[in-house]
Amino acid sequence: LCACGPEVTDLPQPTQAGASATTAPSNTKSPAATDEPAPTAKPAVADVPYRIAVLSDMTTRNVWDSFGPGASTWNSVVQNAYYPTLYGQSVKRFDLVAFLAADWAATPVQEGDFWVSTVPIRPGVYWSDGTEVTAEDAAWTANMALQFQLGGNWGYVDAGLDHAEALDKYTVKYYYAAQPGLAQHEYGTLLGPIVSKPYWEPKLADALGLLAGLSGLDPAGDEYQAKLAEAQGMLSALPSDGEPLLGPYN
């Protein structure tokens, strides 16, 4: 039977050793080996600081001022990363991302006259002075912002927070006078900056003394407002030399 297909041709046969292969002359010498040059030692390079430029100098290094009446774009660009928050926000969708928090905050529930939520804090997070960040820092910071009625980027007042409490070293509890919404709790209180209580508490003694003088005064009266402004001014003017910070730029 005949089948259609390509014509088969004879393939070249392998050359037998020595039959037609050309042998190199026996007196051919390999190129002489040359010595590799010794590597040149690289000159020592001095450390060069990494500098980032902004269009304006900072106007304050006092955290109470920089998040309050002294808030500015340029202060926040440099200083926002100095202070921990319980949560941050993702870049694309602004989802809450745990930072200092060890888990999700409990959904606010009514407890007596208040709506409350607890947040667990991660152990083993330290300020730049080696002291541990605790629930005491978180609760105390919120309570100070409330007592001094700090506005601006101190969102605790605007969130409707009544007070905060450290239940133990790693659990903070927030109390609201009314049921908080998403903007008040998750995207308000839980994004608030936290400072070192051991560092700031003794510094605030005189300013807190002025606040004590507000007792019995009408909050809408001129005397109350004048004393409050004086206490806030004293707070904003406190030096912050040696303040413990947290983050990559401290």
Side-chain angles (χ1 to χ4, degrees):
L1 297 176
C2 296
C4 296
E7 181 181 358
V8 178
T9 58
D10 293 336
L11 297 176
Q13 297 300 312
T15 303
Q16 299 295 324
S20 61
T22 303
T23 305
S26 59
N27 61 351
T28 301
K29 296 182 180 180
S30 300
T34 57
D35 295 334
E36 292 290 336
T40 304
K42 294 182 179 180
V45 178
D47 291 337
V48 178
Y50 176 60
R51 294 185 174 91
I52 301 176
V54 294
L55 298 179
S56 178
D57 195 5
M58 294 185 297
T59 58
T60 180
R61 274 299 315 275
N62 177 296
V63 62
W64 309 102
D65 189 37
S66 65
F67 283 95
S72 75
T73 298
W74 311 115
N75 289 337
S76 65
V77 163
V78 177
Q79 298 180 53
N80 275 11
Y82 289 171
Y83 303 98
T85 56
L86 293 173
Y87 299 88
Q89 293 177 278
S90 65
V91 174
K92 290 186 177 180
R93 302 195 314 172
F94 302 104
D95 295 324
L96 285 183
V97 179
F99 180 62
L100 188 57
D103 204 344
W104 293 112
T107 301
V109 296
Q110 192 164 13
E111 186 179 284
D113 294 333
F114 298 102
W115 287 79
V116 301
S117 173
T118 57
V119 184
I121 290 179
R122 287 195 294 133
V125 179
Y126 296 91
W127 297 105
S128 56
D129 66 351
T131 58
E132 192 172 17
V133 183
T134 69
E136 284 287 345
D137 295 319
W140 185 84
T141 302
N143 288 330
M144 291 302 99
L146 292 170
Q147 288 186 41
F148 284 94
Q149 301 180 37
L150 300 178
N153 293 319
W154 290 103
Y156 299 111
V157 174
D158 293 336
L161 187 67
D162 185 84
H163 67 283
E165 175 188 8
L167 298 182
D168 56 44
K169 190 175 183 179
Y170 302 117
T171 309
V172 60
K173 186 174 185 177
Y174 294 103
Y175 295 77
Y176 296 89
Q179 183 177 12
L182 193 68
Q184 287 77 41
H185 185 55
E186 286 84 354
Y187 288 89
T189 296
L190 301 186
L191 296 180
I194 296 169
V195 304
S196 169
K197 177 184 177 180
Y199 174 84
W200 280 108
E201 188 173 35
K203 289 179 172 289
L204 267 61
D206 291 340
L208 286 170
L210 287 176
L211 286 185
L214 299 179
S215 179
L217 297 179
D218 179 8
D222 292 341
E223 185 179 0
Y224 181 99
Q225 293 299 322
K227 287 184 177 294
L228 176 61
E230 183 182 359
Q232 291 172 337
M234 181 179 292
L235 177 67
S236 295
L238 290 172
S240 60
D241 300 336
E243 179 188 10
L245 304 172
L246 189 151
Y249 304 118
N250 65 71

